[in-house]
Amino acid sequence: MEYADKLQQYAPAPTEEAVAKEVARIKEAAQRNMNPEVYKFCYSTIDLTTLSCNDSVESVTKFARRAVEFYQDFPHIPNVASICVYPSFVDTVGLAVDGTPMRITSVAAGFPASQTFLEVKMLEVAMAIENGADEVDIVLNVGKMLTGAYDEAANEVEVIRGEMDEGVILKVIIESGALKTPDLIRKASLLSMFAGTDFVKTSTGKIDVAATPEAAVVMCQAIRDYYQKTGRKVGFKAAGGVRTAEDAALYYTIVEEILGSEWLTTDLFRIGASSAANNLISAIEGKTVKYF
């Protein structure tokens, strides 16, 4: 399908100066959200992530079981939304979380570079879902975006979405740190939504520049504008570099200010994190906690 022409139906991206001004405004507003109740909600939006070259069945099992134990150890804090792993560990997590509400997220489709054959991407996504993934995070082809091959980039997303079971959540990572400009970040977000994604996500966490408030503002504005034209709500996920409780509250506030409180649910807002989990627990408990 031709998607690039659809971009003309939307206003151009904001300037870098306009984005910087909006970020400064929201940073001031975020002060009101730096409190235990917001931190509890932010913790419940986490896709608790382990994406390391030294992951193993043993380490992933221990990681997942620790997350499951959280239900008993901290019953006053809503548990994380999901555990996010490489596709080969989906069934490992499934065994560890069986009988709990915990969802399983798999990165797939050539994560983190997206530089493989479309057929391989399709097969990897299908295998992750067959093994029990409830949600799949894929990477938009950044090379195609940077060279203006917008239809090709979006059509890959459309094909993968078409191969997924109904009810499985698709999150498309636009790798905002590689796209850099508000123009490309906005285009990538809109193209992903045109192609059927359920979430747009900032980053893989595997390049130098990960999530930034500036990228989040541009992405959330694109989500807002898409919703106003189509009536379809698409979620936002900040990932990579979200480390502190204050970081989490800032992204919470960006969503609140641009998209509104109706987006502040785990169905529409996620944080991809590992280190942020301990820091959020510590901020909620008022003391240093090293749970993970």
Side-chain angles (χ1 to χ4, degrees), residues 94-111:
L95 290 171
V97 306
D98 188 39
T100 76
M102 190 78 66
R103 297 179 66 82
I104 305 170
T105 297
S106 174
V107 296
F111 179 96

Side-chain angles (χ1 to χ4, degrees), residues 16-261:
E16 291 185 359
E17 292 75 15
V19 173
K21 185 176 180 181
E22 181 70 345
V23 169
R25 180 188 73 81
I26 294 175
K27 281 184 174 179
E28 287 190 15
Q31 298 300 314
R32 70 171 183 264
N33 289 325
M34 293 181 183
N35 61 71
E37 289 309 306
V38 169
Y39 297 154
K40 284 181 181 180
F41 172 75
C42 287
Y43 187 84
S44 76
T45 71
I46 289 178
D47 290 339
L48 191 66
T49 303
T50 179
L51 296 171
S52 171
C53 65
N54 58 10
D55 284 343
S56 65
V57 170
E58 291 77 13
S59 68
V60 172
T61 298
K62 182 179 179 181
F63 183 75
R65 285 179 176 167
R66 189 66 172 146
V68 169
E69 290 167 0
F70 191 86
Y71 287 109
Q72 288 75 44
D73 295 342
F74 292 89
H76 57 290
I77 302 175
N79 208 346
V80 296
S82 81
I83 296 174
C84 179
V85 292
Y86 281 114
S88 57
F89 296 111
V90 167
D91 56 350
T92 301
V93 175
L95 290 171
V97 306
D98 188 39
T100 76
M102 190 78 66
R103 297 179 66 82
I104 305 170
T105 297
S106 174
V107 296
F111 179 96
S114 193
Q115 299 289 12
T116 189
F117 302 104
L118 178 58
E119 293 81 1
V120 173
K121 295 179 182 182
M122 293 164 62
L123 179 59
E124 189 174 48
V125 169
M127 291 178 70
I129 294 169
E130 184 178 355
N131 282 358
D134 303 297
E135 307 182 359
V136 177
D137 291 18
I138 69 171
V139 184
L140 190 68
N141 192 306
V142 175
K144 293 186 186 299
M145 286 300 304
L146 292 173
T147 55
Y150 302 146
D151 283 338
E152 292 180 33
N155 273 298
E156 283 197 0
V157 176
E158 179 191 17
V159 169
I160 292 170
R161 171 79 267 183
E163 292 294 313
M164 294 172 63
D165 296 342
E166 187 177 349
V168 177
I169 299 298
L170 175 64
K171 308 190 198 90
V172 173
I173 305 162
I174 67 167
E175 201 67 290
S176 57
L179 298 177
K180 297 181 180 178
T181 67
D183 180 60
L184 278 176
I185 291 169
R186 180 173 171 83
K187 284 176 177 174
S189 301
L190 287 169
L191 288 165
S192 298
M193 290 186 278
F194 297 159
T197 191
D198 300 298
F199 275 77
V200 285
K201 174 179 170 182
T202 56
S203 322
T204 62
K206 301 297 184 182
I207 67 171
D208 290 342
V209 179
T212 65
E214 289 76 14
V217 163
V218 175
M219 292 169 71
C220 286
Q221 289 175 344
I223 292 169
R224 177 198 63 198
D225 296 348
Y226 177 80
Y227 171 68
Q228 289 174 350
K229 281 190 177 291
T230 68
R232 186 170 80 91
K233 291 180 179 178
V234 174
F236 168 75
K237 178 175 174 179
V242 185
R243 295 188 175 87
T244 67
E246 291 77 15
D247 289 339
L250 175 57
Y251 287 105
Y252 172 101
T253 309
I254 290 171
V255 171
E256 182 184 41
E257 288 286 312
I258 296 174
L259 294 169
S261 58

